Amino acid sequence: DAKTTQPPSMDCAEGRAANLPCNHSTISGNEYVYWYRQIHSQGPQYIIHGLKNNETNEMASLIITEDRKSSTLILPHATLRDTAVYYCIVKNQGGKLIFGQGTELSVKP
Amino acid sequence: DGGITQSPKYLFRKEGQNVTLSCEQNLNHDAMYWYRQDPGQGLRLIYYSQIVNDFQKGDIAEGYSVSREKKESFPLTVTSAQKNPTAFYLCASTSADRGGNTIYFGEGSWLTVV
């Protein structure tokens, strides 16, 4: 199964870009990468997902390396409400969702 | 509106009792999942199902059981064999294809052993 690795915690100044990395070096060619965030043990909230190309939506950008072994979630202008645990997820060919341990992002004023 | 619903939100169990957590979705998703989360920890996969009447063990299936008799329902039973069941439980669903479809999560159920 693909495995994802994330740093346990990161800090970011309010208004600055937050760049959250994820390593998924064993990902297969047709396995998607998803990013979700979780606040206070609520249900995780969808952010973005991608396969090969970089993706952008109203919440964030997703940069996937050419070899697809890692990706970076970018929150362009972090606010205090972006403080949460961010999960990188790979959906493998068997349908299993592989979660990383998550990165606890603290946005500070 | 389509979505995924877990119930109950809070549940207390006496030691030695089995309890069942409900997960229902009206998204026509084939794949459904159960995760356990302990305080300050990540999500660990208990069971998942790609199709009706079929399911697979995840990483921590011992002490748990599931059924998938209907496409929209994937109940999780926490049995008395689960020695430390106090945790937050999350249900998820998505399409069973290769990917590219949003994964939906329920709001979770808190189980406490008293």
Side-chain angles (χ1 to χ4, degrees):
Chain A
D1 290 339
K3 180 181 176 182
T4 63
T5 305
Q6 301 176 251
S9 63
M10 294 182 65
D11 290 340
C12 179
E14 187 178 19
R16 304 299 292 267
N19 297 283
L20 292 90
C22 179
N23 183 292
H24 33 78
S25 58
T26 58
I27 196 170
S28 297
N30 56 1
E31 294 176 345
Y32 280 75
V33 178
Y34 295 79
W35 282 84
Y36 279 71
R37 70 182 182 186
Q38 189 181 30
I39 300 172
H40 298 310
S41 291
Q42 298 173 15
Q45 176 191 18
Y46 171 78
I47 302 173
I48 200 166
H49 72 277
L51 180 63
K52 297 179 182 178
N53 300 320
N54 297 338
E55 302 287 345
T56 296
N57 63 19
E58 64 278 5
M59 288 183 68
S61 294
L62 174 61
I63 308 298
I64 302 175
T65 58
E66 191 170 344
D67 63 9
R68 300 208 333 115
K69 293 182 184 298
S70 66
S71 60
T72 300
L73 177 74
I74 301 173
L75 307 178
H77 306 286
T79 70
L80 299 179
R81 288 189 296 179
D82 291 323
T83 293
V85 178
Y86 288 76
Y87 290 101
C88 169
I89 306 167
V90 171
K91 184 180 181 184
N92 74 6
Q93 295 186 62
K96 191 174 179 180
L97 299 178
I98 312 296
F99 275 78
Q101 284 301 303
T103 296
E104 186 170 6
L105 176 68
S106 296
V107 181
K108 301 181 183 299
Chain B
D1 287 340
I4 183 167
T5 303
Q6 288 185 239
S7 63
K9 178 68 175 178
Y10 301 96
L11 185 61
F12 297 89
R13 187 194 94 170
K14 294 182 179 179
E15 286 192 25
Q17 282 185 336
N18 293 351
V19 293
T20 297
L21 306 179
S22 170
C23 180
E24 303 276 334
Q25 53 95 2
N26 59 2
L27 300 160
N28 201 34
H29 284 163
D30 290 303
M32 298 186 74
Y33 307 80
W34 274 106
Y35 292 88
R36 169 181 172 142
Q37 187 173 36
D38 293 284
Q41 304 297 313
L43 281 74
R44 293 185 290 170
L45 182 63
I46 305 172
Y47 270 98
Y48 64 109
S49 169
Q50 295 286 94
I51 195 170
V52 174
N53 292 323
D54 188 39
F55 47 83
Q56 288 76 42
K57 292 182 178 180
D59 301 317
I60 55 165
E62 185 175 353
Y64 300 97
S65 66
V66 293
S67 63
R68 189 82 188 278
E69 297 176 0
K70 298 186 296 183
K71 187 176 186 178
E72 57 270 23
S73 179
F74 191 42
L76 173 74
T77 297
V78 185
T79 75
S80 57
Q82 172 48 242
K83 297 305 179 188
N84 185 24
T86 295
F88 184 62
Y89 291 86
L90 274 166
C91 181
S93 73
T94 188
S95 299
D97 56 22
R98 289 180 181 177
N101 296 291
T102 302
I103 306 162
Y104 286 79
F105 286 88
E107 286 302 308
S109 294
W110 285 97
L111 173 62
T112 302
V113 174
V114 297

